[in-house]
Amino acid sequence: MIRSFSKQENPKDESEGKKNEKRKLRFGRSLMSRYIILILCAVLFVPVVLPITSVIYVVVVNNVSKGNAAPYGDVTHISNLWSNESKKLDQATPAKIDDRMKQLHAQYPKSSVYRVDENGKTAFILGGEGVEVVETPANGSTLTTLNWPLNDQKKVETRIPAVWDASYTMEFMKEAVYRDPLTVVSFVGGGNQDKGKGFMVIEVPRYLLQKSQSNWPMELLYLGLLMTIIFLFFIVMSILFFARIRKRLIRLQTAMITPGKEGIPLPVDIRRSDEIGQLEDSFNQMVYQLTESRHREREEEQFRKRLIAGLSHDLRTPLTVIRGHMHALHKEALSDKGISSLSRMESKMDDLSGLIDNMLSYNLLASGKYTLKLEEKDVFRIVRETAAAWYPVWEKEQFDIDIDLPDEPLIWRVDEQGMRRILDNLFQNVVRYAGDGKYIGISTERIHDRTALVIRDQGPGMQQEVGAKGTGLGLSIVDLLVREMGLRKKVDSSPEGVRIFIY
């Protein structure tokens, strides 16, 4: 009596199944969210990063400029200083004005200062360091000339007449705006307002003043360098982003192609819950299912082997008893019909006995317990002897027999009994399933520069879903024997018949 076992549910497997269920992917943990952040940073580079870098540049330049300030400050400083001093001297006497101008000249020794009184006469002149003061008579008066040695090896003259007329004064003030040295004119008591007290002038070489114009080559260099650094930063971040993805994918690929002890890949560790994490989880689920399927397959294979062994053993006992009774019937007086029935019964008993042998052989071959003795044998001799044993069967079935084998021997390293078993099963398969063709052929062909034994028939051909193993157990045994002896087998099936190559 054979009991059927049902697989009980394992609570541990059930909990693991729930644990390994597909987890929902949060957007914040996905690769897409990280890539979007990277793209947004790149898009915001122009409207956000550039203004910030410009502000940083201005702050840095100002700090550097303060550390490297010109000795006399800038143009604004000198202009405001001179204007404020002229306002303070509103009620001062000419002597006090001259004293104050001397004090200012002491602070700025390389500058030249002079004053024109309310009558247009030059009242006070004080040249700067390195300035040559030349007085020459002109038109009954004295013309004072200041010769300025500038930083670019050029010399500039400042002509100071003894008496200033309106036209000369206007022309002088127009030139004061852009000339070098810097010339600042301020009316005494009013700055830019003439209160009728004359005006005072200071001249400073421009190389002593801080340049106010922007240094655009350095600005472009700074911005270009900063943009290059930020651009390289984005490139490095992108490379690192995709390098991590590639590393994880390669790790998963390596796990896929690296088999474990049972020929099934091992599961991988899931480190992040993103898209690749979901892929790794699906891979682990596949590994678990394959492992479970392999265990179930082994259990079923063991159960099938035990079943075949038990059936083969249990069937031999009643077959032996039936054969004994059939042998006793031969001693009895039977009619012709009884003798014919007894002969058919014996034939079917032989078929059943052969089926039991096939079952035992298949069980031994599948479990690796079938012992083969591999020796160098002449395969053509084995084929001829086996075919000779089948001649009566083929003639009884009215087969057209076509055997065309070379005279030279074909030496293969085979087990002789196993080779005979292969031929018997193939010949029996032709008789059973290709009997309508009434033909069997045995010949040789060259396959891959090797001599192949060819057994062909003119039956209906094997069905596509059946494949190369036929419909019985015999071809399965053939496949196992061919594999164990290190041979190859090829089946060419068509509606015109089947050709089986062994090489």
Side-chain angles (χ1 to χ4, degrees), residues 54-204:
S54 300
V55 172
I56 295 174
Y57 174 77
V58 171
V59 173
V60 171
V61 168
N62 288 338
N63 291 333
V64 173
S65 298
K66 290 180 180 179
N68 300 325
Y72 285 8
D74 55 11
V75 175
T76 304
H77 171 70
I78 296 296
S79 300
N80 292 336
L81 171 67
W82 203 246
S83 178
N84 292 332
E85 291 295 334
S86 65
K87 290 180 180 179
K88 294 177 181 178
L89 299 173
D90 187 11
Q91 304 297 328
T93 62
K96 289 184 178 181
I97 294 175
D98 295 341
D99 291 339
R100 181 55 182 164
M101 291 179 67
K102 290 179 182 179
Q103 294 175 2
L104 294 174
H105 182 269
Q107 294 180 10
Y108 302 95
K110 292 186 179 182
S111 64
S112 296
V113 295
Y114 48 94
R115 179 175 65 86
V116 179
D117 61 14
E118 65 275 8
N119 297 319
K121 296 180 180 181
T122 303
F124 177 78
I125 299 176
L126 189 59
E129 294 180 0
V131 179
E132 183 182 2
V133 181
V134 180
E135 296 182 353
T136 57
N139 298 326
S141 61
T142 303
L143 176 65
T144 304
T145 304
L146 304 179
N147 294 323
W148 291 90
L150 300 182
N151 196 31
D152 54 0
Q153 305 299 327
K154 293 182 180 180
K155 291 185 177 181
V156 179
E157 293 182 350
T158 300
R159 294 183 179 183
I160 307 174
V163 179
W164 296 63
D165 56 15
S167 61
Y168 186 80
T169 303
M170 293 297 295
E171 186 67 23
F172 178 81
M173 290 186 177
K174 288 181 180 179
E175 294 180 358
V177 177
Y178 54 85
R179 69 190 299 264
D180 187 10
L182 172 67
T183 302
V184 181
V185 180
S186 181
F187 292 99
V188 177
N192 295 328
Q193 184 180 1
D194 186 5
K195 294 186 176 182
K197 297 181 180 180
F199 57 89
M200 48 192 285
V201 182
I202 184 173
E203 294 183 352
V204 181

Side-chain angles (χ1 to χ4, degrees), residues 105-316:
H105 182 269
Q107 294 180 10
Y108 302 95
K110 292 186 179 182
S111 64
S112 296
V113 295
Y114 48 94
R115 179 175 65 86
V116 179
D117 61 14
E118 65 275 8
N119 297 319
K121 296 180 180 181
T122 303
F124 177 78
I125 299 176
L126 189 59
E129 294 180 0
V131 179
E132 183 182 2
V133 181
V134 180
E135 296 182 353
T136 57
N139 298 326
S141 61
T142 303
L143 176 65
T144 304
T145 304
L146 304 179
N147 294 323
W148 291 90
L150 300 182
N151 196 31
D152 54 0
Q153 305 299 327
K154 293 182 180 180
K155 291 185 177 181
V156 179
E157 293 182 350
T158 300
R159 294 183 179 183
I160 307 174
V163 179
W164 296 63
D165 56 15
S167 61
Y168 186 80
T169 303
M170 293 297 295
E171 186 67 23
F172 178 81
M173 290 186 177
K174 288 181 180 179
E175 294 180 358
V177 177
Y178 54 85
R179 69 190 299 264
D180 187 10
L182 172 67
T183 302
V184 181
V185 180
S186 181
F187 292 99
V188 177
N192 295 328
Q193 184 180 1
D194 186 5
K195 294 186 176 182
K197 297 181 180 180
F199 57 89
M200 48 192 285
V201 182
I202 184 173
E203 294 183 352
V204 181
R206 290 187 180 267
Y207 72 86
L208 298 175
L209 303 174
Q210 182 178 350
K211 295 181 180 180
S212 59
Q213 64 269 25
S214 61
N215 192 2
W216 60 268
M218 291 301 298
E219 292 179 2
L220 290 179
L221 179 62
Y222 167 77
L223 293 177
L225 181 62
L226 190 58
M227 290 179 65
T228 302
I229 293 175
I230 296 177
F231 181 69
L232 292 176
F233 172 76
F234 279 119
I235 291 179
V236 171
M237 293 300 295
S238 300
I239 292 175
L240 292 177
F241 178 77
F242 289 105
R244 291 178 180 177
I245 295 177
R246 181 176 180 273
K247 182 178 180 181
R248 294 174 64 190
L249 291 177
I250 290 177
R251 185 172 67 93
L252 182 59
Q253 180 189 18
T254 304
M256 289 181 178
I257 62 177
T258 304
K261 295 182 179 179
E262 298 182 354
I264 299 176
L266 298 176
V268 297
D269 296 332
I270 302 176
R271 300 177 181 177
R272 292 186 178 179
S273 301
D274 50 16
E275 289 85 348
I276 298 180
Q278 285 192 335
L279 182 62
E280 292 171 341
D281 183 68
S282 299
F283 172 74
N284 290 344
Q285 292 295 326
M286 181 189 68
V287 172
Y288 298 146
Q289 292 176 3
L290 286 175
T291 304
E292 184 180 358
S293 176
R294 180 65 60 85
H295 291 166
R296 186 168 57 251
E297 181 182 351
R298 288 181 177 178
E299 292 177 357
E300 293 175 354
E301 181 68 19
Q302 293 296 328
F303 176 75
R304 183 171 64 253
K305 290 178 181 179
R306 291 195 299 269
L307 177 62
I308 292 175
L311 285 174
S312 301
H313 181 269
D314 293 342
L315 287 175
R316 284 188 180 275

Side-chain angles (χ1 to χ4, degrees), residues 320-419:
T320 302
V321 175
I322 294 174
R323 284 182 181 276
H325 285 283
M326 293 177 64
H327 181 72
L329 287 175
H330 277 289
K331 298 179 181 181
E332 300 293 333
L334 299 175
S335 63
D336 294 338
K337 186 176 181 180
I339 294 173
S340 176
S341 297
L342 186 60
S343 177
R344 291 180 180 178
M345 292 170 62
E346 288 179 340
S347 176
K348 293 302 179 182
M349 291 294 295
D350 291 337
D351 292 341
L352 184 58
S353 179
L355 178 59
I356 294 174
D357 290 338
N358 282 339
M359 291 172 61
L360 288 173
S361 299
Y362 178 80
N363 198 29
L364 292 174
L365 286 168
S367 59
K369 297 180 180 180
Y370 194 94
T371 303
L372 295 176
K373 185 179 181 181
L374 300 180
E375 296 176 338
E376 292 186 354
K377 298 290 183 179
D378 182 6
V379 177
F380 289 159
R381 178 185 63 82
I382 299 175
V383 173
R384 289 188 180 98
E385 292 176 357
T386 306
W390 278 85
Y391 251 91
V393 178
W394 293 335
E395 289 179 348
K396 180 181 177 181
E397 298 293 335
Q398 299 180 355
F399 269 61
D400 184 10
I401 305 170
D402 182 13
I403 300 178
D404 184 14
L405 298 176
D407 296 333
E408 294 81 6
L410 178 62
I411 306 301
W412 285 355
R413 186 175 177 80
V414 297
D415 178 76
E416 185 170 350
Q417 291 301 117
M419 193 66 195

Side-chain angles (χ1 to χ4, degrees), residues 8-48:
Q8 297 180 352
E9 295 183 357
N10 193 341
K12 182 179 179 180
D13 295 339
E14 184 178 356
S15 62
E16 290 180 355
K18 291 181 179 179
K19 181 179 180 181
N20 292 325
E21 287 181 356
K22 189 175 181 180
R23 289 168 285 187
K24 294 183 179 179
L25 179 62
R26 295 181 181 179
F27 181 75
R29 297 182 178 179
S30 66
L31 294 173
M32 180 64 70
S33 62
R34 300 173 193 171
Y35 187 68
I36 289 177
I37 292 174
L38 190 63
I39 294 299
L40 287 177
C41 292
V43 171
L44 295 176
F45 170 73
V46 175
V48 175

